[in-house]
Amino acid sequence: MTNEEANIVLFLKKINFFVLSSICVMVLLVILTTIYVSNSLDNYKLNQSIDTIIIGHSHSELAYNSKILNNTYNLSESSDAYFYTYLKLKAIVKANPQIKNIFIEFSNMNISELMDDWTWDDRHLNKKFTKFSGFIGFDDTKVLLKNNFKGYLKTVGLSVRKNFELILNPRKKIYLNKQWGEFRPKHGSILDSILESSYNSIDESNDYYRSGLSNINIEYLKKIVSFLQARNISVSLIRTPVHITDDYLVNEASYLKIYKENFVGIPLLDFKDYPLLNEQYFDKGHVNYSGSEEISEFLKALIDTGILKSNHQQKRIDSLIRPLIKKRSEIYNTSFGYSKNHN
């Protein structure tokens, strides 16, 4: 071997040593910051009066006003897959032993194949994983590594930085600075303009409305339910109203089948058919502030009159919804959908 070749080999060995050392340091930082953050309970403590949590993606984020619901906090955040809901709940439940009830948004969108992207694509890893990395377990890590190895590695450094931010700000309450979700209402409505446009039917070529199912999201909802039941916390699924033209309703048969096969023992408070008016929706899939006030008051009345202890919850809900559908169908006969679907 010539001197030049020997120098090249030595140089490559130094590079390999540097890379290996950097990886080891990063792994050590991940482990240490994760241990610290997961045990820094002050960051995740809610007001002691809060014993009920609502959690989910944008449907519940826009719908349930914490100020209307007694002793309740809405920790929903847009584009939350159940993978991240699970990590969030691990922290919140551990830090708040007073929590007795959890409402989990369970919509037609939640079973969609789109949830795979929300779990491990680059954008959601950067937005979500970096916030909840302190609570990830070995099995959770395997899910991300298996499905987006490069994306996971890219976010490790940012995750460590965010963990350090929590370490350096130990009194920075998560729910007070709204990092993990809150009630975020939308004002106004764009629904009528959507209905009048060519967007009124599903564009089959649009990848956003893929018809496949997300096995990972369904599996993590099961993990959430098991996690909460093991801690004697009451679990209820809740389906927020969507407009009858919402594109994800095309998977209704699959939605009902998945519920019956996997969660039939878990109460489902189904408000899908609650007859909000067009002007109470922001768009097809989300209520606006007016809609949120009405549906929050409806949920409050159900809770206050003992819905969580009832053996026939959905029958009771339907008995309250049916006359409202009839009344509004008569008054707003030209309003989109009512007279057509609920005579």
Side-chain angles (χ1 to χ4, degrees), residues 108-109 111-116 202-215 218 247-255 258:
N108 297 68
M109 180 183 284
I111 68 168
S112 166
E113 190 181 11
L114 175 68
M115 296 297 108
D116 292 355
I202 298 176
D203 179 0
E204 298 293 345
S205 66
N206 189 341
D207 194 47
Y208 192 81
Y209 296 110
R210 285 173 294 176
S211 59
L213 302 179
S214 174
N215 292 323
I218 297 164
D247 299 291
Y248 282 103
L249 292 176
V250 296
N251 70 16
E252 181 70 5
S254 296
Y255 175 89
I258 287 169

Side-chain angles (χ1 to χ4, degrees), residues 10 34 44 82 94 98 125 140 181 240 257 286 302 332:
L10 181 61
T34 295
Y44 317 104
Y82 288 137
K94 184 177 181 180
Q98 79 275 13
L125 281 175
D140 310 318
T240 302
K257 181 180 179 182
H286 303 89
L302 289 171
Y332 300 95

Side-chain angles (χ1 to χ4, degrees), residues 114-272:
L114 175 68
M115 296 297 108
D116 292 355
D117 292 343
W118 284 19
T119 302
W120 53 63
D121 72 7
D122 287 355
R123 184 167 70 90
H124 289 88
L125 281 175
N126 189 64
K127 181 182 178 183
K128 301 289 185 178
F129 169 69
T130 52
K131 289 196 295 187
F132 304 124
S133 63
F135 301 92
I136 195 166
F138 180 68
D139 289 339
D140 310 318
T141 303
K142 287 197 299 184
V143 169
L144 300 183
L145 287 173
K146 177 182 177 181
N147 292 284
N148 190 354
F149 183 82
K150 290 182 179 179
Y152 174 83
L153 293 182
K154 287 178 184 177
T155 60
V156 169
L158 183 57
S159 299
V160 170
R161 195 192 81 185
K162 287 193 177 261
N163 284 344
F164 268 120
E165 288 176 0
L166 285 173
I167 291 170
L168 297 174
N169 296 279
R171 299 185 185 278
K172 195 173 183 181
K173 295 288 182 88
I174 286 296
Y175 85 106
L176 289 177
N177 62 23
K178 304 174 178 59
Q179 287 186 17
W180 281 21
E182 62 165 346
F183 170 60
R184 291 187 176 98
K186 289 274 192 182
H187 294 272
S189 177
I190 61 172
L191 178 60
D192 284 343
S193 62
I194 291 174
L195 295 177
E196 291 168 4
S197 73
S198 59
Y199 188 64
N200 194 20
S201 59
I202 298 176
D203 179 0
E204 298 293 345
S205 66
N206 189 341
D207 194 47
Y208 192 81
Y209 296 110
R210 285 173 294 176
S211 59
L213 302 179
S214 174
N215 292 323
I216 192 66
N217 218 41
I218 297 164
E219 287 303 313
Y220 265 85
L221 181 54
K222 291 180 185 177
K223 289 187 71 167
I224 290 169
V225 169
S226 297
F227 172 78
L228 295 174
Q229 288 179 331
R231 287 153 182 80
N232 296 315
I233 295 174
S234 172
V235 188
S236 297
L237 305 179
I238 190 166
R239 180 156 61 156
T240 302
V242 295
H243 196 263
I244 62 171
T245 61
D246 182 60
D247 299 291
Y248 282 103
L249 292 176
V250 296
N251 70 16
E252 181 70 5
S254 296
Y255 175 89
L256 295 174
K257 181 180 179 182
I258 287 169
Y259 173 70
K260 290 176 182 178
E261 291 181 350
N262 298 279
F263 308 107
V264 71
I266 307 301
L268 170 61
L269 309 186
D270 194 350
F271 302 155
K272 178 180 73 72

Side-chain angles (χ1 to χ4, degrees), residues 42-59:
D42 282 347
N43 290 310
Y44 317 104
K45 285 184 178 177
L46 306 174
N47 188 300
Q48 282 296 304
S49 65
I50 296 171
D51 62 13
T52 300
I53 297 295
I54 298 174
I55 203 157
H57 54 55
S58 58
H59 287 186

